[in-house]
Amino acid sequence: MLNYLNAHRFANPRSLLTVFIVLVLFLTSGCGLFGAKKKIVVPQLLPGQVAGRDRLFQEVNRFSTVTSIHGKLDIQFEDTSFATSGIADQYRLVDGDITVQRPGKIYLIIQFLVVDIAQMTSDGEQFRVAILKGDDKYRRFVKGTNNAVYKKLDEVDMPTPASSKNQKKGEKETVSALSNLRPQHLTDAFMIRPIETNGSLFYAQSEFFQEEPDTRRGAQKNTRVMRPYYVLDEFSQAQGGEAKLMRRLWFDRVSGIRLARVQSYDDRGALVTDVAYFDEKQLGAGPTASLPSRIEITRPQDQYKLNITYQDVSSVELNRPYPPKPFVLENKWGLQEVDLDAVNKKVTANK
C-alpha cells in the first residue's frame, strides 16, 4: 500500500508541468472565464422635459392658429411597393407650388424644369388630379371622394401603347405614382387638426423611449442615443362603449416639447398615415410662425412616401384668405377622365 502511494506522489514531472501550462493558458485566454470582455457601448439617455396633458394640447393647438400656407417646395416621391423585400424606387426630385387652407383645402402644382407634370386639388370633400406629363395614354384626369377607399390604379388602368414600347420605364412608373397620390393626404399633414375637448374624443398620455441616431450638432458619426417621447393617444367612443384609436401624437421631450410625429388610424385600427416633422424654423415674411420646414409623409397601405421641404422659408405666405374656386380643379386640358366613384359602383354592380 505504501509503495502504491509513493509511486503516484512522485509522478512524472513533465506531465505535471504540461497540466500546469494548459491550466494557465485556459485561465488567461480570451475565451476563459476571466478573459477579456468585448466592450459594449450603451446609448446615452438624453434628458427630457416633463409636461402634462395641457402642455401637449397647447403644442398641438398652436398649429391651428395658421389658417393657410402658400409656398414653394422640393418634393421627393418614394414608391414603397417593394418595401417588404427591402427595395424602394425613388423618383426624381420635383418642384411643388402648394396652397393649403383650413378646413381641408389644397391646390398643388408639381413641376419639373418649370414644366407642369401634375396638378391636384381638394375642396375638403372631393379631390381631383390632372396628370399632364407623358404619352397621351398616360395623361388623365382622376377624381374621387376624400373619405372613399379605392384600389391602386395599376397597369390595367394604364395600358402601354404600341408607339411607346421603347419608352423609359421610369416615366411610366412616375405617372402611375402621381395618379395614386391624393392631395388630401398633404392637407392633413400641413394643417394639423387641433385637439378637441368637447367630450366627443378623449386622450391618454404615456411615455416612450426610442433608440435613434444622434443628430445633435457635434455628435460623433454612428453615435446612437435613447430619446424620450411623450405619446398622446386620441380615442373616439364607438357604439357599445368600445374605444377606437384615431390618432397617436408623438412629442420630442429634448430641449422642450415639440410635436414630432402624427399617426392616423382607420376604423379597423390599421395605420393609414404616418407624418414626421423636422427642422422647425420661422416661416413667413409678413405674418410668421414657427413651423416644421421638412415634412415626411408615409402612406403604408398606398405604398408611397413623400419627403417635402420648403425651398425658401422666408417667402412662405401665411394666413392669407383664398376663395373656394382655386380648390376645385377643372379639366381644361381635355384629358381622359377617370371617375373613381363610378368605377367602384360598376365593380359593385358586377359583383
Side-chain angles (χ1 to χ4, degrees):
M1 183 67 179
L2 183 60
N3 292 336
Y4 177 80
L5 292 176
N6 288 339
H8 285 78
R9 180 178 300 174
F10 301 101
N12 191 336
R14 292 184 178 178
S15 299
L16 293 177
L17 179 61
T18 301
V19 172
F20 177 78
I21 293 174
V22 171
L23 182 61
V24 170
L25 291 175
F26 177 79
L27 293 178
T28 57
S29 64
C31 60
L33 182 62
F34 303 103
K37 300 296 187 296
K38 182 179 180 180
K39 187 176 181 180
I40 299 176
V41 178
V42 178
Q44 175 189 358
L45 175 61
L46 300 180
Q49 298 286 324
V50 178
R53 286 202 312 170
D54 290 343
R55 177 66 185 90
L56 305 186
F57 288 180
Q58 180 184 3
E59 169 64 9
V60 178
N61 289 341
R62 75 177 177 88
F63 287 88
S64 64
T65 60
V66 178
T67 58
S68 71
I69 300 175
H70 172 73
K72 301 286 186 179
L73 309 172
D74 287 329
I75 303 176
Q76 174 71 63
F77 186 93
E78 182 177 331
D79 187 351
T80 60
S81 301
F82 304 99
T84 53
S85 59
I87 302 172
D89 292 328
Q90 285 193 328
Y91 295 99
R92 193 187 302 268
L93 187 70
V94 296
D95 297 321
D97 187 300
I98 192 171
T99 303
V100 287
Q101 179 171 274
R102 295 183 188 274
K105 295 181 175 64
I106 182 172
Y107 178 31
L108 175 64
I109 302 174
I110 299 177
Q111 299 178 322
F112 181 66
L113 297 178
V114 200
V115 177
D116 291 0
I117 60 176
Q119 293 189 23
M120 54 192 69
T121 63
S122 173
D123 61 0
E125 297 181 359
Q126 305 288 324
F127 69 86
R128 300 184 176 197
V129 178
I131 305 302
L132 309 174
K133 178 70 174 176
D135 190 277
D136 289 342
K137 291 292 184 179
Y138 296 158
R139 299 169 64 196
R140 58 175 63 186
F141 189 84
V142 183
K143 56 185 179 180
T145 304
N146 285 8
N147 295 330
V149 178
Y150 306 108
K151 70 173 184 177
K152 189 174 182 179
L153 293 175
D154 51 21
E155 303 295 335
V156 176
D157 299 307
M158 190 171 59
T160 303
S163 61
S164 60
K165 291 297 183 180
N166 296 325
Q167 191 174 26
K168 291 183 179 180
K169 182 181 178 183
E171 180 181 348
K172 185 175 181 180
E173 291 175 336
T174 303
V175 172
S176 177
L178 292 173
S179 298
N180 290 283
L181 180 61
R182 300 292 173 252
Q184 65 270 23
H185 300 163
L186 280 75
T187 312
D188 297 338
F190 280 84
M191 301 274 99
I192 301 172
R193 179 167 52 83
I195 298 293
E196 299 180 23
T197 57
N198 57 7
S200 61
L201 299 174
F202 56 98
Y203 300 86
Q205 178 181 344
S206 59
E207 190 177 49
F208 189 81
F209 297 90
Q210 182 166 285
E211 183 178 332
E212 301 175 354
D214 191 353
T215 58
R216 295 176 298 172
R217 182 177 298 179
Q220 294 183 356
K221 187 177 180 181
N222 299 326
T223 304
R224 300 185 68 82
V225 293
M226 194 69 70
R227 185 175 292 272
Y229 289 92
Y230 279 129
V231 177
L232 188 67
D233 288 334
E234 179 183 76
F235 297 94
S236 67
Q237 190 166 355
Q239 294 182 354
E242 182 180 356
K244 182 173 64 175
L245 179 61
M246 305 291 292
R247 290 189 300 176
R248 175 165 290 158
L249 302 102
W250 296 65
F251 300 85
D252 187 352
R253 298 168 53 194
V254 178
S255 301
I257 300 296
R258 179 185 67 88
L259 181 63
R261 187 179 181 186
V262 178
Q263 296 172 300
S264 302
Y265 299 83
D266 63 14
D267 292 338
R268 300 176 291 107
L271 178 65
V272 292
T273 307
D274 193 344
V275 184
Y277 299 99
F278 305 93
D279 303 332
E280 189 160 307
K281 296 180 181 179
Q282 203 70 20
L283 269 61
T288 63
S290 182
L291 297 172
S293 63
R294 184 168 72 88
I295 301 175
E296 191 176 273
I297 304 172
T298 303
R299 295 278 300 183
Q301 297 183 38
D302 295 325
Q303 299 180 330
Y304 73 77
K305 180 179 181 180
L306 293 175
N307 198 324
I308 302 172
T309 307
Y310 287 107
Q311 293 180 357
D312 181 7
V313 295
S314 63
S315 64
V316 176
E317 293 183 84
L318 301 178
N319 299 336
R320 175 183 171 185
Y322 296 94
K325 187 175 181 179
F327 302 105
V328 181
L329 189 64
E330 299 293 341
N331 188 8
K332 59 186 178 182
W333 305 274
L335 301 171
Q336 176 188 357
E337 296 197 7
V338 180
D339 188 336
L340 297 179
D341 290 328
V343 172
N344 272 3
K345 289 180 181 180
K346 183 178 180 180
V347 171
T348 303
N350 290 338
K351 288 182 179 181

mmCIF file of all heavy atoms in Angstrom, residues 176-200:
data_model
loop_
_atom_site.group_PDB
_atom_site.id
_atom_site.type_symbol
_atom_site.label_atom_id
_atom_site.label_comp_id
_atom_site.label_asym_id
_atom_site.label_seq_id
_atom_site.Cartn_x
_atom_site.Cartn_y
_atom_site.Cartn_z
ATOM 1 N N SER A 176 -47.731 56.677 -62.932
ATOM 2 C CA SER A 176 -48.576 55.810 -62.120
ATOM 3 C C SER A 176 -48.556 56.243 -60.663
ATOM 4 O O SER A 176 -49.584 56.264 -59.984
ATOM 5 C CB SER A 176 -48.095 54.363 -62.232
ATOM 6 O OG SER A 176 -48.854 53.510 -61.406
ATOM 7 N N ALA A 177 -47.378 56.624 -60.167
ATOM 8 C CA ALA A 177 -47.266 57.067 -58.776
ATOM 9 C C ALA A 177 -48.066 58.337 -58.534
ATOM 10 O O ALA A 177 -48.781 58.465 -57.538
ATOM 11 C CB ALA A 177 -45.797 57.288 -58.428
ATOM 12 N N LEU A 178 -47.959 59.310 -59.455
ATOM 13 C CA LEU A 178 -48.699 60.562 -59.297
ATOM 14 C C LEU A 178 -50.197 60.328 -59.381
ATOM 15 O O LEU A 178 -50.978 61.023 -58.729
ATOM 16 C CB LEU A 178 -48.249 61.557 -60.366
ATOM 17 C CG LEU A 178 -46.827 62.089 -60.232
ATOM 18 C CD1 LEU A 178 -46.447 62.919 -61.450
ATOM 19 C CD2 LEU A 178 -46.673 62.906 -58.962
ATOM 20 N N SER A 179 -50.623 59.356 -60.194
ATOM 21 C CA SER A 179 -52.051 59.058 -60.308
ATOM 22 C C SER A 179 -52.625 58.557 -58.995
ATOM 23 O O SER A 179 -53.814 58.737 -58.719
ATOM 24 C CB SER A 179 -52.279 58.009 -61.402
ATOM 25 O OG SER A 179 -51.868 58.485 -62.655
ATOM 26 N N ASN A 180 -51.801 57.926 -58.182
ATOM 27 C CA ASN A 180 -52.270 57.388 -56.909
ATOM 28 C C ASN A 180 -52.027 58.327 -55.732
ATOM 29 O O ASN A 180 -52.363 57.993 -54.599
ATOM 30 C CB ASN A 180 -51.589 56.040 -56.648
ATOM 31 C CG ASN A 180 -52.082 54.961 -57.585
ATOM 32 O OD1 ASN A 180 -53.156 54.420 -57.421
ATOM 33 N ND2 ASN A 180 -51.282 54.667 -58.600
ATOM 34 N N LEU A 181 -51.427 59.484 -55.990
ATOM 35 C CA LEU A 181 -51.213 60.461 -54.936
ATOM 36 C C LEU A 181 -52.504 61.215 -54.668
ATOM 37 O O LEU A 181 -53.167 61.682 -55.593
ATOM 38 C CB LEU A 181 -50.114 61.435 -55.357
ATOM 39 C CG LEU A 181 -49.756 62.549 -54.364
ATOM 40 C CD1 LEU A 181 -49.246 61.963 -53.070
ATOM 41 C CD2 LEU A 181 -48.716 63.471 -54.984
ATOM 42 N N ARG A 182 -52.884 61.350 -53.410
ATOM 43 C CA ARG A 182 -54.131 62.009 -53.045
ATOM 44 C C ARG A 182 -53.804 63.336 -52.346
ATOM 45 O O ARG A 182 -53.106 63.349 -51.317
ATOM 46 C CB ARG A 182 -54.970 61.119 -52.123
ATOM 47 C CG ARG A 182 -55.349 59.784 -52.753
ATOM 48 C CD ARG A 182 -56.319 59.973 -53.891
ATOM 49 N NE ARG A 182 -56.567 58.725 -54.612
ATOM 50 C CZ ARG A 182 -56.114 58.471 -55.820
ATOM 51 N NH1 ARG A 182 -55.366 59.372 -56.453
ATOM 52 N NH2 ARG A 182 -56.379 57.336 -56.419
ATOM 53 N N PRO A 183 -54.290 64.460 -52.873
ATOM 54 C CA PRO A 183 -53.930 65.766 -52.311
ATOM 55 C C PRO A 183 -54.359 65.944 -50.866
ATOM 56 O O PRO A 183 -53.703 66.650 -50.103
ATOM 57 C CB PRO A 183 -54.645 66.756 -53.240
ATOM 58 C CG PRO A 183 -55.723 65.958 -53.911
ATOM 59 C CD PRO A 183 -55.190 64.583 -54.040
ATOM 60 N N GLN A 184 -55.474 65.297 -50.447
ATOM 61 C CA GLN A 184 -55.932 65.478 -49.071
ATOM 62 C C GLN A 184 -54.969 64.883 -48.047
ATOM 63 O O GLN A 184 -54.978 65.275 -46.882
ATOM 64 C CB GLN A 184 -57.331 64.876 -48.875
ATOM 65 C CG GLN A 184 -57.429 63.368 -49.026
ATOM 66 C CD GLN A 184 -57.735 62.951 -50.456
ATOM 67 O OE1 GLN A 184 -57.466 63.705 -51.388
ATOM 68 N NE2 GLN A 184 -58.313 61.770 -50.619
ATOM 69 N N HIS A 185 -54.100 63.970 -48.474
ATOM 70 C CA HIS A 185 -53.107 63.430 -47.550
ATOM 71 C C HIS A 185 -52.103 64.511 -47.153
ATOM 72 O O HIS A 185 -51.601 64.521 -46.034
ATOM 73 C CB HIS A 185 -52.389 62.240 -48.186
ATOM 74 C CG HIS A 185 -53.306 61.116 -48.556
ATOM 75 N ND1 HIS A 185 -52.950 60.115 -49.433
ATOM 76 C CD2 HIS A 185 -54.577 60.843 -48.161
ATOM 77 C CE1 HIS A 185 -53.958 59.271 -49.556
ATOM 78 N NE2 HIS A 185 -54.945 59.698 -48.811
ATOM 79 N N LEU A 186 -51.805 65.414 -48.074
ATOM 80 C CA LEU A 186 -50.910 66.527 -47.771
ATOM 81 C C LEU A 186 -51.610 67.560 -46.895
ATOM 82 O O LEU A 186 -50.989 68.164 -46.015
ATOM 83 C CB LEU A 186 -50.402 67.179 -49.051
ATOM 84 C CG LEU A 186 -49.244 66.479 -49.770
ATOM 85 C CD1 LEU A 186 -49.729 65.238 -50.507
ATOM 86 C CD2 LEU A 186 -48.560 67.424 -50.731
ATOM 87 N N THR A 187 -52.903 67.775 -47.139
ATOM 88 C CA THR A 187 -53.646 68.755 -46.339
ATOM 89 C C THR A 187 -53.619 68.383 -44.867
ATOM 90 O O THR A 187 -53.376 69.227 -43.999
ATOM 91 C CB THR A 187 -55.111 68.837 -46.817
ATOM 92 O OG1 THR A 187 -55.143 68.952 -48.233
ATOM 93 C CG2 THR A 187 -55.815 70.019 -46.199
ATOM 94 N N ASP A 188 -53.864 67.116 -44.572
ATOM 95 C CA ASP A 188 -53.875 66.664 -43.180
ATOM 96 C C ASP A 188 -52.508 66.834 -42.525
ATOM 97 O O ASP A 188 -52.416 67.071 -41.317
ATOM 98 C CB ASP A 188 -54.306 65.198 -43.102
ATOM 99 C CG ASP A 188 -55.732 64.984 -43.593
ATOM 100 O OD1 ASP A 188 -56.501 65.959 -43.588
ATOM 101 O OD2 ASP A 188 -56.060 63.853 -43.990
ATOM 102 N N ALA A 189 -51.436 66.716 -43.320
ATOM 103 C CA ALA A 189 -50.088 66.836 -42.770
ATOM 104 C C ALA A 189 -49.714 68.288 -42.514
ATOM 105 O O ALA A 189 -49.079 68.610 -41.504
ATOM 106 C CB ALA A 189 -49.078 66.190 -43.721
ATOM 107 N N PHE A 190 -50.082 69.195 -43.419
ATOM 108 C CA PHE A 190 -49.748 70.610 -43.266
ATOM 109 C C PHE A 190 -50.696 71.320 -42.296
ATOM 110 O O PHE A 190 -50.271 72.171 -41.516
ATOM 111 C CB PHE A 190 -49.797 71.311 -44.629
ATOM 112 C CG PHE A 190 -48.570 71.107 -45.463
ATOM 113 C CD1 PHE A 190 -48.422 69.976 -46.255
ATOM 114 C CD2 PHE A 190 -47.551 72.043 -45.461
ATOM 115 C CE1 PHE A 190 -47.290 69.786 -47.031
ATOM 116 C CE2 PHE A 190 -46.417 71.865 -46.236
ATOM 117 C CZ PHE A 190 -46.277 70.731 -47.020
ATOM 118 N N MET A 191 -51.970 71.001 -42.347
ATOM 119 C CA MET A 191 -52.981 71.628 -41.488
ATOM 120 C C MET A 191 -53.389 70.650 -40.388
ATOM 121 O O MET A 191 -54.411 69.965 -40.485
ATOM 122 C CB MET A 191 -54.203 72.037 -42.314
ATOM 123 C CG MET A 191 -53.915 73.009 -43.445
ATOM 124 S SD MET A 191 -53.940 74.753 -42.917
ATOM 125 C CE MET A 191 -52.188 75.076 -42.705
ATOM 126 N N ILE A 192 -52.560 70.538 -39.360
ATOM 127 C CA ILE A 192 -52.794 69.561 -38.293
ATOM 128 C C ILE A 192 -54.094 69.878 -37.562
ATOM 129 O O ILE A 192 -54.340 71.020 -37.164
ATOM 130 C CB ILE A 192 -51.614 69.557 -37.311
ATOM 131 C CG1 ILE A 192 -50.321 69.205 -38.058
ATOM 132 C CG2 ILE A 192 -51.847 68.569 -36.173
ATOM 133 C CD1 ILE A 192 -49.075 69.351 -37.214
ATOM 134 N N ARG A 193 -54.916 68.859 -37.407
ATOM 135 C CA ARG A 193 -56.199 69.044 -36.720
ATOM 136 C C ARG A 193 -55.958 69.294 -35.228
ATOM 137 O O ARG A 193 -55.205 68.572 -34.586
ATOM 138 C CB ARG A 193 -57.085 67.810 -36.926
ATOM 139 C CG ARG A 193 -58.431 67.887 -36.245
ATOM 140 C CD ARG A 193 -59.351 66.797 -36.750
ATOM 141 N NE ARG A 193 -58.760 65.477 -36.674
ATOM 142 C CZ ARG A 193 -58.750 64.732 -35.571
ATOM 143 N NH1 ARG A 193 -59.269 65.202 -34.441
ATOM 144 N NH2 ARG A 193 -58.211 63.528 -35.584
ATOM 145 N N PRO A 194 -56.599 70.309 -34.654
ATOM 146 C CA PRO A 194 -56.368 70.616 -33.231
ATOM 147 C C PRO A 194 -57.000 69.581 -32.310
ATOM 148 O O PRO A 194 -57.798 68.738 -32.734
ATOM 149 C CB PRO A 194 -57.031 71.994 -33.065
ATOM 150 C CG PRO A 194 -58.078 72.042 -34.121
ATOM 151 C CD PRO A 194 -57.520 71.276 -35.291
ATOM 152 N N ILE A 195 -56.637 69.665 -31.044
ATOM 153 C CA ILE A 195 -57.205 68.797 -30.011
ATOM 154 C C ILE A 195 -58.641 69.220 -29.731
ATOM 155 O O ILE A 195 -58.941 70.403 -29.585
ATOM 156 C CB ILE A 195 -56.378 68.872 -28.718
ATOM 157 C CG1 ILE A 195 -54.948 68.373 -28.970
ATOM 158 C CG2 ILE A 195 -57.040 68.089 -27.599
ATOM 159 C CD1 ILE A 195 -54.856 66.898 -29.281
ATOM 160 N N GLU A 196 -59.541 68.254 -29.676
ATOM 161 C CA GLU A 196 -60.943 68.520 -29.361
ATOM 162 C C GLU A 196 -61.203 68.181 -27.890
ATOM 163 O O GLU A 196 -60.905 67.083 -27.438
ATOM 164 C CB GLU A 196 -61.859 67.701 -30.263
ATOM 165 C CG GLU A 196 -61.713 68.006 -31.736
ATOM 166 C CD GLU A 196 -62.644 67.177 -32.603
ATOM 167 O OE1 GLU A 196 -63.674 66.703 -32.066
ATOM 168 O OE2 GLU A 196 -62.349 67.000 -33.795
ATOM 169 N N THR A 197 -61.733 69.137 -27.181
ATOM 170 C CA THR A 197 -62.002 68.934 -25.748
ATOM 171 C C THR A 197 -63.483 69.071 -25.427
ATOM 172 O O THR A 197 -63.856 69.372 -24.305
ATOM 173 C CB THR A 197 -61.206 69.958 -24.917
ATOM 174 O OG1 THR A 197 -61.552 71.294 -25.353
ATOM 175 C CG2 THR A 197 -59.711 69.750 -25.069
ATOM 176 N N ASN A 198 -64.331 68.829 -26.446
ATOM 177 C CA ASN A 198 -65.780 68.979 -26.240
ATOM 178 C C ASN A 198 -66.452 67.704 -25.753
ATOM 179 O O ASN A 198 -67.679 67.647 -25.645
ATOM 180 C CB ASN A 198 -66.454 69.450 -27.533
ATOM 181 C CG ASN A 198 -66.175 68.504 -28.699
ATOM 182 O OD1 ASN A 198 -65.592 67.433 -28.522
ATOM 183 N ND2 ASN A 198 -66.573 68.906 -29.891
ATOM 184 N N GLY A 199 -65.671 66.657 -25.496
ATOM 185 C CA GLY A 199 -66.246 65.430 -24.946
ATOM 186 C C GLY A 199 -66.430 64.308 -25.944
ATOM 187 O O GLY A 199 -66.627 63.159 -25.541
ATOM 188 N N SER A 200 -66.361 64.584 -27.249
ATOM 189 C CA SER A 200 -66.537 63.529 -28.241
ATOM 190 C C SER A 200 -65.291 62.661 -28.380
ATOM 191 O O SER A 200 -65.366 61.514 -28.819
ATOM 192 C CB SER A 200 -66.895 64.138 -29.601
ATOM 193 O OG SER A 200 -65.861 64.992 -30.052
#
